[in-house]
Amino acid sequence: MRNVVLVVLDTARATSTGQKTTPTLTQLADEGTAFDNAFATAPWTLPSHASMFTGTYPSEHGTHGGHTYLDEALRTLPEAFADAGYETVGVSNNTWITEEFGFDRGFDELRKGWQYIQSDADMGAVVRGEDLREKLQATRRRLFDGNPMVNAANILYSELLQPTGDDGADRSTAWIADWLTARDDDQPFFLFCNYIEPHVEYDPPKAYAEQFLPEDASYDEAVAIRQDPRAYDCEEYELSDREFALLGGLYRAELAYVDDKLGELRTALEDAGTWDETLFVVCGDHGEHIGEHGFFGHQYNLYDTLLNVPLVVHGGSFTGGGQRPDMVQLLDLPATLLETVGIEDPALEKQGSGRSMHPDSTSKPRDVVFAEYVAPQPSIDRLEARFGDIPNRVRAFDRRLRAVRTAKYKYVRSDDGFERLHDIETDPLEHTDIAAEESAQVRTLRDRLEERFEPLSDAGTTDDVAMREGTKERLADLGYL
């Protein structure tokens, strides 16, 4: 294989994909290899992408709600491809994945899908604002950073003028198609693309929504439902079972819409004559709660609803690989991609915790997967600034979480002493905590967490990046620290 395309379906959970919702992805899985038990290392975009780009866990790469920048000491996947002679291009529709947070390293070009006019001055802080107050504050701070006319145009486009039902997927796919057509050299390429449509707010085109809404529901009724996860968490408003059912329909419609764009991207690669020599990888970066466990969105916990993501690989040895039940992690992608195309990058390989998923790899299969939630995003302080007195239920989520999962058990532990255990085989939805009844299993899995990570009480969430001593030593050996 010569080229690599990595597509992230932002906020895509594995349980919501399938023939009806994502037929393009299903076809790719049928032709390639589908990993049925793929897990993110974190339940939201920033730390999950950092793991995909560096092959490290959140407490190792230190990129989380308490420190939102990818440390320059870390080697990244795009840097490995660039140094191997690849043209490296990224198209991001998520405002976390930009140069503002250190994700541009190694890219010849990293486009911002929410910008009408590409500009170094990033108005992403406006897009990320949790409410109108934060958006206005960000506008005042950023408007005169560079050309105010360009900045104003980009703010107006992202906040008011962006086409209904599309959050950048259409423009991004069209741009990639044009870029593929215009390429006139034989240089291999690494292409990264983040499609954000499945993320709140769910506002799919009407034709898509009507395929997934209940028969007795209208499009207007569904899109009128308030979609404000943090306000819901803080009990500012309530959602009924019916409203969550409608929101679930809108969410699946967003997946269906972006799946069609995935098909267009494949067609663009075929038309450019590069499909047969391209390793094509599609994954979610994390999942979503739409009423499950009393949550809306993807913060504060480590349920499989947020961690189990789709992962499909097509091309080369992965073609015709069928369904693989072994447990894998998104941080395994760097090792897998480099091995598949034959790139040796000792710095990235030594830095990472990943294991290659290549069919012929000698890497030992995983018997467990891990996940971390290092710091709340938004912080409790930001929630208090917006809502005033917040519920004790939410205040309790101001904690650090780690999870370890085997094929049978899932154990979660926090830095405030909270812990729970689930039998995944008999309780796949994680409704029943059996920690009290299975104390021996709790001890076993707690030991696995402590073997893998430093004690929870030692992990920092200040502006300084908190890394394990072992990670610091590895990076120091490589000359990074």
Side-chain angles (χ1 to χ4, degrees):
M1 306 306 297
R2 286 172 43 81
N3 310 308
V4 175
V5 176
L6 173 58
V7 180
V8 174
L9 307 182
D10 205 296
T11 322
R13 61 188 191 184
T15 54
S16 293
T17 60
Q19 180 58 47
K20 182 177 180 181
T21 309
T22 53
T24 299
L25 185 63
T26 300
Q27 181 180 350
L28 284 168
D30 291 341
E31 298 174 0
T33 301
F35 292 86
D36 295 336
N37 288 297
F39 293 87
T41 62
W44 66 289
T45 292
L46 185 73
S48 181
H49 276 74
S51 290
M52 280 190 276
F53 276 41
T54 66
T56 60
Y57 288 100
S59 60
E60 294 175 323
H61 59 61
T63 311
H64 49 70
H67 180 94
T68 55
Y69 191 82
L70 184 61
D71 195 270
E72 292 182 357
L74 291 165
R75 179 76 165 168
T76 68
L77 184 62
E79 288 178 313
F81 278 107
D83 289 348
Y86 278 61
E87 181 179 3
T88 54
V89 172
V91 181
S92 172
N93 288 287
N94 190 307
T95 58
W96 286 112
I97 311 305
T98 64
E99 74 279 0
E100 181 180 1
F101 302 104
F103 284 89
D104 60 324
R105 296 203 310 276
F107 282 112
D108 297 323
E109 179 176 8
L110 179 58
R111 293 180 61 85
K112 307 178 185 77
W114 60 94
Q115 287 192 346
Y116 184 73
I117 304 171
Q118 292 294 302
S119 170
D120 290 338
D122 186 10
M123 297 299 104
V126 180
V127 181
R128 290 189 301 275
E130 287 288 325
D131 59 2
L132 181 60
R133 176 185 58 83
E134 286 195 355
K135 289 178 181 292
L136 290 174
Q137 288 176 344
T139 298
R140 287 195 293 268
R141 290 195 306 268
R142 303 295 182 94
L143 184 61
F144 293 97
D145 181 10
N147 187 323
M149 296 298 292
V150 171
N151 294 341
N154 283 331
I155 290 171
L156 284 172
Y157 177 78
S158 64
E159 295 300 310
L160 299 174
L161 303 178
Q162 194 158 323
T164 300
D166 184 88
D167 292 317
D170 185 65
R171 293 176 71 235
S172 298
T173 306
W175 184 88
I176 292 171
D178 291 342
W179 169 74
L180 288 168
T181 300
R183 294 183 81 249
D184 58 1
D185 59 43
D186 196 38
Q187 184 182 15
F189 61 81
F190 169 73
L191 171 66
F192 163 78
C193 180
N194 172 293
Y195 288 132
I196 201 173
E197 272 70 11
H199 199 286
V200 165
E201 292 184 0
Y202 318 137
D203 59 346
K206 183 176 181 180
Y208 285 82
E210 290 177 341
Q211 299 176 43
F212 296 94
L213 292 174
E215 291 184 0
D216 63 344
S218 70
Y219 175 77
D220 290 340
E221 179 189 3
V223 297
I225 298 171
R226 184 179 179 184
Q227 297 186 42
D228 191 337
R230 300 295 78 78
Y232 174 80
D233 291 337
C234 290
E235 301 178 359
E236 186 172 276
Y237 76 108
E238 296 182 353
L239 290 168
S240 66
D241 290 344
R242 175 178 172 81
E243 287 172 319
F244 271 127
L246 268 59
L247 290 174
L250 294 179
Y251 171 75
R252 290 190 296 276
E254 291 278 32
L255 285 171
Y257 175 75
V258 79
D259 184 76
D260 278 352
K261 299 305 169 184
L262 188 65
E264 292 176 14
L265 179 56
R266 173 178 179 165
T267 298
L269 289 162
E270 291 172 339
D271 291 345
T274 59
W275 175 253
D276 290 337
E277 53 187 19
T278 295
L279 183 70
F280 195 73
V281 182
V282 185
C283 66
D285 62 336
H286 56 77
E288 184 81 320
H289 279 139
I290 314 174
E292 294 87 358
H293 302 286
F295 288 96
F296 183 22
H298 45 266
Q299 294 290 340
Y300 307 133
N301 51 74
L302 294 174
Y303 289 107
D304 277 5
T305 327
L306 302 186
L307 300 177
N308 186 203
V309 295
L311 174 59
V312 173
V313 185
H314 181 283
S317 299
F318 289 96
T319 301
Q323 291 180 298
R324 279 182 48 176
D326 48 317
M327 291 189 296
V328 299
Q329 302 224 239
L330 295 183
L331 62 74
D332 295 329
L333 286 172
T336 303
L337 303 186
L338 296 184
E339 179 175 0
T340 302
V341 298
I343 294 175
E344 293 185 4
D345 193 291
L348 185 57
E349 292 166 7
K350 189 173 183 180
Q351 160 191 289
S353 298
R355 304 181 186 186
S356 175
M357 298 176 281
H358 192 281
D360 299 327
S361 176
T362 58
S363 296
K364 183 179 178 181
R366 294 185 178 277
D367 62 337
V368 297
V369 293
F370 299 98
E372 299 183 278
Y373 187 66
V374 178
Q377 173 59 37
S379 68
I380 299 301
D381 289 344
R382 285 180 64 192
L383 292 178
E384 288 179 329
R386 178 182 175 189
F387 299 107
D389 189 24
I390 61 176
N392 289 333
R393 170 181 178 268
V394 174
R395 195 175 299 279
F397 299 138
D398 188 12
R399 61 191 179 190
R400 195 170 301 114
L401 293 171
R402 284 181 179 148
V404 56
R405 189 191 191 283
T406 69
K408 180 172 176 57
Y409 290 105
K410 169 85 166 287
Y411 173 70
V412 181
R413 181 174 176 81
S414 78
D415 61 348
D416 63 4
F418 166 84
E419 62 181 3
R420 63 183 173 85
L421 178 72
H422 296 280
D423 186 327
I424 297 298
E425 291 183 346
T426 61
D427 180 29
L429 300 180
E430 300 173 82
H431 286 155
T432 305
D433 179 9
I434 59 171
E437 295 87 352
E438 296 279 357
S439 57
Q441 190 62 47
V442 166
R443 287 193 298 272
T444 297
L445 293 178
R446 184 191 300 145
D447 289 345
R448 289 300 298 267
L449 277 179
E450 292 181 355
E451 287 172 7
R452 185 62 191 79
F453 301 105
E454 298 295 332
L456 275 165
S457 58
D458 293 343
T461 56
T462 66
D463 287 339
D464 295 324
V465 177
M467 288 186 288
R468 295 173 61 210
E469 286 302 315
T471 302
K472 293 179 181 179
E473 292 172 3
R474 289 198 299 273
L475 293 176
D477 288 344
L478 297 171
Y480 288 115
L481 296 177

